[in-house]
Amino acid sequence: MLLDQRHTPPERTTTSLASKVNRAKTAPQLVDLTALPAVACPCGTARRAFADRPEFPGTVHLTEITQAARTHYHNEHVEVYIVLECESDAAIELDGVLHPVRPLTAILIPAGVRHRAVGEMKTIILSSPNFDASDEHFDLE
């Protein structure tokens, strides 16, 4: 079989993720998490950023966790806790099982997993989709 030398391959139609993002480019945003207002949450207090950014499918929280943190779960939200600072005996309770943590531990918490931090700690929490307080649920105590 002879190949036609005039045949050229079709042009590439795939687009890189970077070019897709550049088409819908929005302004970057820098946020000092410590300057945001603190709001009460089941863990202690949270300072939440980026809920108003449609190109980012979640929120970022600087959360100060207290000894009074309550076990809760989310039906829709997936969270990632990143421990920045904690006591030496700090832990995360996931569905009733305690797991020791230390600074720079990251914990992925799927929707439906009952969780609470045990001990005082400072964390960054990534919540996807955007955090919504109506998706915080508690078992009857």
Side-chain angles (χ1 to χ4, degrees):
M1 175 170 157
L2 295 174
L3 294 176
D4 183 350
Q5 297 297 325
R6 293 171 292 167
H7 177 73
T8 56
E11 290 196 27
R12 301 192 113 194
T13 57
T14 58
T15 341
S16 73
L17 179 58
S19 65
K20 288 179 185 177
V21 169
N22 286 335
R23 275 190 258 144
K25 193 169 187 175
T26 57
Q29 182 179 5
L30 281 75
V31 174
D32 176 355
L33 296 172
T34 64
L36 296 174
V39 295
C41 68
C43 299
T45 59
R47 300 168 191 274
R48 299 183 178 117
F50 305 128
D52 59 345
R53 298 301 300 248
E55 73 277 18
F56 182 67
T59 50
V60 176
H61 312 191
L62 174 61
T63 305
E64 303 271 345
I65 297 173
T66 66
Q67 293 285 346
R70 295 177 57 204
T71 301
H72 63 285
Y73 63 97
H74 309 280
N75 287 325
E76 303 296 326
H77 296 108
V78 172
E79 294 181 315
V80 174
Y81 281 43
I82 302 165
V83 178
L84 301 176
E85 302 170 5
C86 65
E87 299 172 330
S88 61
D89 59 347
I92 187 89
E93 184 178 343
L94 304 169
D95 283 337
V97 178
L98 282 176
H99 303 272
V101 298
R102 59 186 178 91
L104 301 182
T105 299
I107 305 107
L108 174 68
I109 305 172
V113 173
R114 279 137 178 89
H115 59 281
R116 75 179 175 110
V118 177
E120 293 182 7
M121 62 182 82
K122 183 185 287 188
T123 64
I124 294 289
I125 298 175
L126 307 173
S127 176
S128 180
N130 280 4
F131 177 78
D132 179 353
S134 69
D135 191 33
E136 287 182 313
H137 306 282
F138 305 89
D139 292 325
L140 298 176
E141 296 176 0

